[in-house]
């Protein structure tokens, strides 16, 4: 999801939040009118959000997978799994793909949650958790990618689940793979960055970091970005594998790298949120988040929405860092939100899901 820090923090919060699921009122009365709807899940929201434009999908801290109507928040269906589901599902109009802590990839119907197929990627016996999938899946046309704690990166056929190829890193993988043809990009916990051929799985080139790379990389216009526990954000031009620049943050990356026009955004273990210029790696602005930041931001229309760990959702101007507004949702935020059709969908550790109108 967001690395070891997020994994252990989430498990701690599941135990503590289970003692008090009572609904917490919205602290900011002025912004509460911009909440389109609110839904209460059975347990705290630990799985990242995903949407296909019509429905919203997420999982909670007890392995329940939910599907809500994106416009109304009405429950469409719910399925219980015997293990946690980490990361965000990969979704199309009619299919949903999600990985489990037991190392199984499921392909489900987005309409009713029934299973089309499932595949266990773990080499370890079922009673061991070493093969768990702790990150989001990636989908591009018929290519479905998953990575697990055994260090395996696997390409499957999205329609059938048939394995096309697998690659084995030297350490576990907590970062989500990123598909940007002709490559699949992913970092591992040994601090090695891999560029794999989407067609064959062969490691074509790679890089390194001064610590584990547990944050999901980003790609735009021929440049791939990655960051590890050493806090160095790397920009690599894929053609010629040319390093462009490196920016040194004040701690390990605790969020995925998010791009918007000429900016790259990330949060660190020190609680600092950065906006870095992608042209030369210069610092554009930074903000110290008192509550820390684990959930990744989302961006739209030159606004960046940053979930603070202590339950506050902030909206900043993407270019200047000037704050537009904040809303206190009353419970910790560890799940990545998502934006669709002018609404931000976000879940809290008290089990609440909110649809908030963006730009308000």
């Amino acid at each position: 999801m967001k690395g070891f820090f997020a994994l252990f923090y989430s498990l701690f919060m599941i135990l503590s939040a289970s003692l008090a699921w009572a609904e917490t009122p919205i602290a900011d009365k002025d912004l509460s009118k911009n909440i389109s709807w609110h839904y209460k899940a059975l347990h705290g929201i630990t799985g990242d959000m995903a949407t296909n434009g019509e429905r919203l999908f997420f999982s909670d801290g007890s392995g329940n997978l939910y599907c809500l109507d994106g416009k109304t928040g009405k429950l469409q269906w719910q399925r219980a799994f015997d293990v946690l589901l980490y990361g965000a599902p990969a979704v199309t109009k009619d299919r949903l793909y999600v990985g489990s802590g037991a190392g199984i990839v499921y392909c489900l119907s987005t309409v009713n949650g029934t299973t089309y197929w499932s595949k266990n990627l773990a080499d370890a016996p079922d009673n061991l958790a070493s093969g768990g999938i702790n990150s989001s899946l990636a989908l591009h046309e018929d290519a479905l990618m998953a990575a697990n704690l055994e260090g395996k990166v696997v390409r499957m056929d999205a329609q059938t689940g048939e394995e096309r190829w697998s690659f084995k890193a030297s350490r576990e993988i907590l970062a989500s793979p990123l598909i940007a043809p002709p490559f699949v990009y992913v970092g591992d916990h040994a601090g090695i960055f891999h560029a794999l051929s989407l067609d064959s799985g062969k490691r074509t080139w790679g890089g390194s970091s001064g610590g584990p790379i547990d944050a999901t990389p980003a790609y735009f216009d021929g440049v791939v970005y990655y960051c590890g526990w050493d806090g160095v954000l790397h920009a690599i031009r894929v053609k010629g594998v040319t390093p462009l620049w490196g920016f040194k943050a004040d701690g390990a990356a605790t969020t995925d790298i998010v791009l918007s026009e000429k900016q790259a955004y990330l949060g660190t273990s020190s609680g600092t949120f950065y906006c870095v210029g992608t042209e030369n790696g210069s610092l554009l602005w930074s903000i110290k988040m008192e509550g820390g930041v684990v959930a990744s931001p989302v961006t739209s229309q030159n606004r960046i929405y940053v979930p603070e760990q202590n339950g506050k959702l902030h909206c900043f101007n993407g270019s200047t860092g000037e704050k537009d507004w904040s809303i206190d949702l009353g419970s910790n935020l560890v799940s990545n939100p998502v934006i669709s059709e002018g609404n931000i969908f976000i879940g809290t550790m008290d089990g609440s899901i909110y649809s908030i109108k963006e730009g308000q």
Side-chain angles (χ1 to χ4, degrees):
M1 195 160 57
K2 274 76 68 177
F4 271 127
F5 175 79
L7 174 59
F8 288 113
Y9 177 80
S10 296
L11 293 176
F12 169 77
M13 287 305 302
I14 291 166
L15 293 174
S16 59
S18 64
L19 300 177
W21 295 121
E23 185 171 337
T24 305
I26 303 301
D28 192 324
K29 300 299 183 182
D30 293 332
L31 285 173
S32 63
K33 66 181 183 295
N34 297 318
I35 296 177
S36 302
W37 53 257
H38 166 251
Y39 176 83
K40 195 65 178 290
L42 295 175
H43 299 285
I45 308 305
T46 53
D48 298 333
M49 301 277 169
T51 178
N52 63 1
E54 299 176 359
R55 297 178 174 90
L56 177 68
F57 307 93
F58 58 91
S59 60
D60 69 16
S62 289
N64 296 298
L65 179 65
Y66 299 83
C67 171
L68 305 184
D69 183 287
K71 292 183 178 180
T72 67
K74 183 179 179 180
L75 179 66
Q76 302 298 292
W77 53 262
Q78 177 183 335
R79 275 195 61 174
F81 292 81
D82 57 2
V83 293
L84 293 183
L85 307 174
Y86 295 98
V91 295
T92 65
K93 184 175 180 60
D94 60 349
R95 292 197 175 201
L96 174 151
Y97 306 89
V98 67
S100 79
I104 300 173
V105 173
Y106 294 92
C107 174
L108 310 176
S109 165
T110 58
V111 176
N112 56 26
T114 58
T115 301
Y116 286 120
W117 56 260
S118 63
K119 184 176 181 62
N120 191 342
L121 303 184
D123 293 329
D126 293 342
N127 62 336
L128 298 178
S130 59
I133 299 170
N134 279 47
S135 57
S136 302
L137 306 186
L139 180 65
H140 176 76
E141 296 177 349
D142 68 342
L144 178 67
M145 303 298 310
N148 71 9
L149 296 183
E150 293 172 334
K152 290 177 63 177
V153 183
V154 180
R155 173 178 172 173
M156 292 158 282
D157 184 281
Q159 293 300 311
T160 65
E162 180 182 355
E163 184 175 315
R164 298 303 189 193
W165 55 257
S166 67
F167 169 83
K168 188 69 160 53
S170 61
R171 287 287 303 273
E172 63 269 33
I173 297 177
L174 291 98
S176 304
L178 171 70
I179 302 175
F183 298 112
V184 178
Y185 301 102
V186 70
D188 66 29
H189 202 64
I192 306 299
F193 186 70
H194 306 278
L196 310 177
S197 166
L198 179 59
D199 290 335
S200 67
K202 180 181 178 181
R203 188 177 190 270
T204 306
W205 59 270
S208 62
S209 175
I213 304 173
D214 296 336
T216 300
Y219 173 92
F220 178 73
D221 196 24
V223 179
V224 65
Y225 304 83
Y226 70 90
C227 186
W229 281 19
D230 63 354
V232 178
L233 175 62
H234 299 267
I236 309 293
R237 183 168 299 284
V238 174
K239 186 176 181 179
V241 194
T242 306
L244 298 180
W245 50 259
F247 171 82
K248 182 68 169 70
D250 64 354
T254 53
T255 72
D256 297 336
I257 300 163
V258 174
L259 302 178
S260 176
E261 296 187 4
K262 296 182 179 181
Q263 294 97 28
Y265 305 98
L266 79 156
T268 68
S269 56
S270 70
T272 306
F273 186 76
Y274 288 94
C275 174
V276 179
T278 55
E279 291 186 334
N280 55 19
S282 61
L283 174 65
L284 299 182
W285 53 266
S286 65
I287 296 176
K288 190 74 171 182
M289 312 294 287
E290 294 180 1
V293 56
V294 173
S296 298
V298 288
T299 182
S300 174
Q301 300 179 10
N302 199 36
R303 291 185 176 94
I304 185 77
Y305 301 93
V306 184
E308 195 170 6
Q309 196 170 299
N310 62 9
K312 297 177 182 179
L313 176 65
H314 304 282
C315 174
F316 300 107
N317 180 291
S319 300
T320 66
E322 182 180 355
K323 184 184 290 188
D324 288 341
W325 53 259
S326 293
I327 186 169
D328 191 340
L329 299 176
S331 182
N332 294 75
L333 302 172
V334 300
S335 167
N336 293 353
V338 69
I339 291 181
S340 178
E341 299 183 354
N343 292 288
I344 307 161
F345 301 108
I346 190 165
T348 72
M349 281 301 297
D350 74 350
S352 292
I353 306 294
Y354 298 97
S355 173
I356 303 172
K357 297 175 184 177
E358 67 166 306
Q360 302 299 316

